[in-house]
Amino acid sequence: MRSYLVGGAVRDRLLGRPVVDHDHVVVGATPQDMLARGFRPVGKDFPVFLHPDNGEEYALARTERKTGHGYHGFAFHADPGVTLKEDLARRDLTINAIAQDEHGALVDPFHGQRDIERRVLRHVSPAFVEDPVRLLRVARFAARFAPLGFAVADETMALMRTMVANGEVDHLVPERVWAETRRALGEAQPSAFLRVLREAGALAALFPEVDALYGVPQRAEFHPEIDTGTHLELVLDMAARLAPGDDLVGFGALCHDLGKALTPAEVLPGHIGHEHAGVAPLRALAARLKVPAEHAALAELVCREHLNAHRALELRPATVLRLLTTLDALRRPRRLDSFLVVCEADKRGRLGRGEASYPQAAFLRAARDAAARVDAAGFLARGLTGPAIGAAMEKARTAAIAALPRPARS
């Protein structure tokens, strides 16, 4: 019985990145052996155990065989005769198929170290095509490691295109698509997630509302990058820069301009009303992927109201208050903060505009704070009741916003 550190812990140590999870594979053991040593069983589909002292995961070495479509269409085989190489062979990418023994020596039968040095995301074996989740995982790893110079190997991309052409992606369950997407939106360069899926043909199959943005022109004076898909990629990466790891902000950025794909050809490159047109495709996407309610709600507010945020310095005080009310900003100040990060990412996610200022955000936060300082106590003391209190508070909050200094528009 021998155990090896495997997967992300080994990969990240070789990359000089912080190691978060320590996963192990155990060769030459049975479930009874693990239980006798005090390990706690947690695996449902195959034998996985938690170490009795540190809680780290230890999985028995196993092989897998394709039995049907999709993520669950596999039969797993684990017994003491399964070798370490056989276990590593079932993994997705070579950089994730490196093991380290108890003495620190590396076991690397599929040349993952070489691919780390060459900055390549490469599949381990032809069995890669059997699991459609690997399409999403490769795209997610691209989003994580693109800043380090990683790219998908040509032969791996060819396999991914084959998986799409064979309809394997049609068997992906919504929960797994969202889980991988959510993680990708929290990575350093989410645009790489879209580019890899699009190159493989999977973006059109999984996110048709997003794929439809590519090739749609915008007015060059506002969008020097012109292409709406390119703009979306810039916005996603700017959102990741402004709010690292925040997939709530990332989803708002992903969906903010979906309406531009619906603009009639005769109107292009203008997009009047795109903020309202985008609500229907956003709702369809969120429902299909079973997106959490908080993510869907923020994304819809961003979709409908981001142009009002951009115009905030020009809006009348009463209109600013209505915007804050629509956002429920007085009761949910953190929602406003997330909303404004997406709006700033939209404004700065344009070719050559990455370092632009966004004074609208500070103004709207100041307006929220000024309005929040007006409460009902003073009006109750004056004897007001019912609707009169609400009217008086609205008037006072409007006056408080009107008294704020307005910075120059950038």
Side-chain angles (χ1 to χ4, degrees):
M1 174 177 171
R2 295 188 65 182
S3 67
Y4 299 83
L5 188 67
V6 293
V10 181
R11 176 200 67 223
D12 289 343
R13 182 179 66 81
L14 292 172
L15 284 168
R17 292 168 57 91
V19 175
V20 179
D21 296 318
H22 292 77
D23 296 325
H24 305 259
V25 65
V26 181
V27 178
T30 66
Q32 291 71 28
D33 294 330
M34 302 299 287
L35 294 174
R37 287 167 170 78
F39 284 80
R40 304 191 306 277
V42 294
K44 294 181 180 179
D45 300 320
F46 40 78
V48 179
F49 302 83
L50 298 183
H51 192 282
D53 298 325
N54 58 29
E56 293 178 358
E57 284 195 359
Y58 285 70
L60 297 188
R62 63 187 187 270
T63 58
E64 59 188 33
R65 176 173 54 85
K66 184 74 169 174
T67 59
H69 292 292
Y71 174 66
H72 295 290
F74 291 90
F76 297 94
H77 173 68
D79 69 32
V82 176
T83 67
L84 177 62
K85 182 176 180 179
E86 287 174 325
D87 182 273
L88 295 176
R90 65 176 178 78
R91 298 174 186 269
D92 50 7
L93 297 173
T94 61
I95 66 171
N96 297 328
I98 310 170
Q100 177 182 307
D101 69 16
E102 64 270 25
H103 304 295
L106 296 180
V107 181
D108 184 18
F110 302 104
H111 310 294
Q113 294 177 86
R114 181 188 64 193
D115 284 340
I116 285 175
E117 294 170 359
R118 296 179 179 180
R119 298 302 198 245
V120 174
L121 300 175
R122 191 192 314 276
H123 64 283
V124 171
S125 77
F128 178 93
V129 301
E130 296 176 352
D131 186 355
V133 173
R134 288 172 172 168
L135 276 164
L136 293 162
R137 281 176 55 83
V138 170
R140 174 167 61 82
F141 280 121
R144 180 182 302 177
F145 294 129
L148 299 180
F150 277 82
V152 179
D154 291 342
E155 58 269 33
T156 302
M157 181 58 70
L159 284 183
M160 292 169 68
R161 292 194 189 101
T162 298
M163 295 166 73
V164 175
N166 290 344
E168 191 68 25
V169 294
D170 299 333
H171 300 283
L172 283 166
V173 297
E175 293 84 356
R176 197 60 196 267
V177 175
W178 169 245
E180 294 294 332
T181 301
R182 185 174 192 170
R183 295 180 69 180
L185 292 172
E187 298 291 0
Q189 195 171 318
S191 62
F193 179 75
L194 297 188
R195 285 195 299 274
V196 168
L197 290 181
R198 186 165 181 254
E199 187 176 351
L203 191 65
L206 298 173
F207 303 93
E209 301 88 351
V210 176
D211 186 70
L213 295 173
Y214 286 89
V216 176
Q218 303 165 108
R219 291 174 59 182
E221 65 267 36
F222 300 123
H223 289 277
E225 70 284 353
I226 299 178
D227 187 276
T228 306
T230 302
H231 168 60
L232 174 59
E233 292 181 5
L234 292 169
V235 173
L236 282 170
D237 290 349
M238 182 57 67
R241 172 180 162 187
L242 296 174
D246 193 331
D247 57 81
L248 176 64
V249 166
F251 187 68
L254 179 70
C255 300
H256 80 284
D257 264 353
L258 294 182
K260 288 183 176 178
L262 303 176
T263 301
E266 63 270 17
V267 180
L268 296 174
H271 291 280
I272 296 174
H274 77 275
E275 66 274 24
H276 303 294
V279 172
L282 163 60
R283 289 177 177 173
L285 186 155
R288 187 175 67 252
L289 298 187
K290 301 181 180 180
V291 171
E294 182 183 15
H295 287 66
L298 177 69
E300 184 164 330
L301 288 169
V302 169
C303 186
R304 286 194 283 109
E305 304 295 340
H306 66 280
L307 294 187
N308 282 329
H310 296 339
R311 293 190 290 255
L313 303 180
E314 305 153 26
L315 299 178
R316 294 178 301 168
T319 307
V320 172
L321 181 59
R322 280 198 296 274
L323 174 60
L324 296 175
T325 301
T326 298
L327 297 170
D328 200 13
L330 303 190
R331 293 193 309 127
R332 304 180 64 175
R334 292 183 64 183
R335 171 183 276 184
L336 176 67
D337 293 333
S338 297
F339 169 83
L340 291 174
V341 171
V342 183
C343 293
E344 181 174 353
D346 175 38
K347 202 67 173 178
R348 295 172 61 181
R350 309 180 188 204
L351 194 63
R353 310 280 174 84
E355 302 305 319
S357 62
Y358 193 67
Q360 295 91 330
F363 172 71
L364 286 171
R365 291 190 185 98
R368 172 195 61 195
D369 296 342
R373 286 191 288 269
V374 178
D375 60 33
F379 302 107
L380 286 169
R382 287 163 48 187
L384 297 181
T385 60
I389 293 178
M393 289 183 65
E394 181 176 347
K395 182 177 179 181
R397 284 171 170 169
T398 301
I401 292 172
L404 293 173
R406 297 207 179 198
R409 183 182 179 188
S410 62

